[in-house]
Each structure stands twice: as structure tokens, then as C-alpha cells.
């Protein structure tokens, strides 16, 4: 099924201050476009917000792509959904007149993974990602071939995260760097989630690029 245009894809848009960056907010499994706004506000209350809803359903929960089991992704679906999200973003830039404003994806967990997949496969559509508890989203496959020289990624992970294992997060960082991306990887103790220190790190990372 092809993805609907902007108006047919449930999403939230907040214009934000003139000239401010636009945060493409990507909720985690079971979240939605309303719930993820609190994270945007915690990062930059003046920013524009574009928050689409994941189009996959898993037992009544919104997700961004199908998975076969926890941590085992349907990689064909990851690739297809990343293409859809890139298309949504391009259409939304036009629809909301976002030309010239930097767009930064901010995702948690499943939202981080789709943001990372989209940036890895469609750098022309998305070249900045803040990923909370994200991991390598392409299973045992390589992650595309485009050079990512203009891409900047902040990876924030817990060392003991069973849902986003450290070796997967580290593989992701290595792969993106090998393709030319600038990757800032911050590791902390603990598991899946977002800590106050990570929020502060993300705020600083965003402010340095504003
Ligand atoms: C996923 O993408 O499936 C995440 O890593 C875990 C989750 O969102 O539940």
C-alpha cells in the first residue's frame, strides 16, 4: 500500500518560532504524535514540530515498521517504511513551507530506529538525527551505500539495554562513521529509556547546530 500524502497521514504540526529548527518527532512503540510533543518541549520549546504517527499496528500499538520478535526486525519493511517517511518529510516541507529550516529527527526506541534508517537510506531527505535508545535497524544486512558526509547523528544509549543492545548500537555508530557521517555516541549505565543527562546532552547538541 502506498503511503498517503501529508494530509492523509495522521500527524501533528506546530509551526514554532520564525527560523527555528523543525523537530521531526518519532514516537516509540505504542506512542503517538500527541505524546511525543512533551519530548520536543523538553528539548526546544520554540522549535517547530512535525510528528507523524507510525503506520504499523502491533496488537493495537503504533509502530514504524514490523518486527518478527523483539529486536528482530522485518528489514524489508524497515526499508519500505523509511522510504515512506522520507516521502512524508519531503511533502511536509512543501506543504508547511519549511524550506530553509533545518529538520532534525528526534526518536525514541522504535522511533529512533526509523529515524536512523531513514537517514541512512535517504540522506537527501534527512541528515540529522537524535536517537534515544536506538540500534542498528537493518538486521544482518548492510545499511545502504550513499556517502553520509553531511550527516550528523547523536546516539544516546544505556550500556545494559536489552532492547537496544550495546553491540548493535556500536555497530550502528561504526557503520555510519565508515560512510562519512559525524557520529557522537554517548553511553551511560542502565537500560532502555531517556535520562535527564541525555536530555541535557541532546539540548546542547541541538543548540550547537541551531
Ligand atoms: C524496536 O524498534 O522494536 C525497538 O527497538 C523496541 C521497541 O520499540 O519496542
Amino acid at each position: 500500500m502506498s503511503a498517503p500524502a501529508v494530509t492523509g497521514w495522521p500527524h501533528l504540526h506546530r509551526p514554532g518560532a520564525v527560523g527555528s529548527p523543525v523537530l521531526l518527532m518519532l514516537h516509540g512503540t505504542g506512542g503517538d504524535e500527541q505524546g511525543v510533543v512533551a519530548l520536543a518541549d523538553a528539548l526546544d520549546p520554540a522549535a517547530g514540530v512535525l510528528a507523524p504517527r507510525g503506520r504499523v499496528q502491533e496488537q493495537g500499538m503504533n509502530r514504524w515498521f514490523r518486527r518478527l520478535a523483539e529486536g528482530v526486525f522485518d528489514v524489508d519493511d524497515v526499508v519500505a517504511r523509511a522510504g515512506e517517511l522520507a516521502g512524508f518529510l519531503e511533502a511536509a516541507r512543501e506543504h508547511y513551507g519549511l524550506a530553509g529550516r533545518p529538520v532534525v529527527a528526534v526518536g525514541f526506541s522504535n522511533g529512533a530506529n526509523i529515524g536512523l534508517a531513514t537517514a541512512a537510506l535517504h540522506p537527501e531527505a534527512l541528515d540529522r538525527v537524535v536517537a534515544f535508545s536506538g540500534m542498528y535497524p537493518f538486521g544482518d544486512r548492510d545499511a545502504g551505500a550513499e556517502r553520509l558526509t553531511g550527516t550528523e547523528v547523536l546516539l544516546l544509549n544505556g550500556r545494559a539495554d536489552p532492547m537496544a543492545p550495546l553491540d548493535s548500537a556500536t555497530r550502528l555508530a561504526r557503520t555510519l562513521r565508515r560512510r562519512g557521517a559525524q557520529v557522537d555516541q554517548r553511553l551511560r549505565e542502565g537500560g532502555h529509556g531517556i535520562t535527564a543527562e541525555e536530555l541535557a546532552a541532546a539540548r546542547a547538541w541541538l543548540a550547537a547546530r541551531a
Side-chain angles (χ1 to χ4, degrees), residues 33-112:
E33 66 277 17
Q34 305 288 339
V36 79
V37 172
L39 177 56
D41 285 340
L43 293 173
D44 182 356
V49 174
L50 188 60
R53 186 188 304 166
R55 301 182 63 239
V56 168
Q57 287 287 302
E58 184 188 276
Q59 297 177 355
M61 296 184 296
N62 300 316
R63 278 181 58 82
W64 292 97
F65 52 80
R66 286 193 293 265
R67 61 180 165 181
L68 310 175
E70 193 168 291
V72 184
F73 303 154
D74 175 340
V75 178
D76 287 335
D77 200 51
V78 173
V79 171
R81 303 289 178 179
E84 285 184 4
L85 184 59
F88 171 84
L89 185 51
E90 294 284 322
R93 277 185 212 269
E94 169 105 23
H95 185 81
Y96 290 117
L98 304 180
R101 289 176 70 182
V103 175
V104 185
V106 176
F108 169 62
S109 190
N110 186 238

Side-chain angles (χ1 to χ4, degrees), residues 121-137:
L121 299 177
H122 302 280
E124 74 295 344
L126 181 65
D127 60 6
R128 286 186 184 173
V129 182
V130 174
F132 294 95
S133 294
M135 62 186 272
Y136 184 81

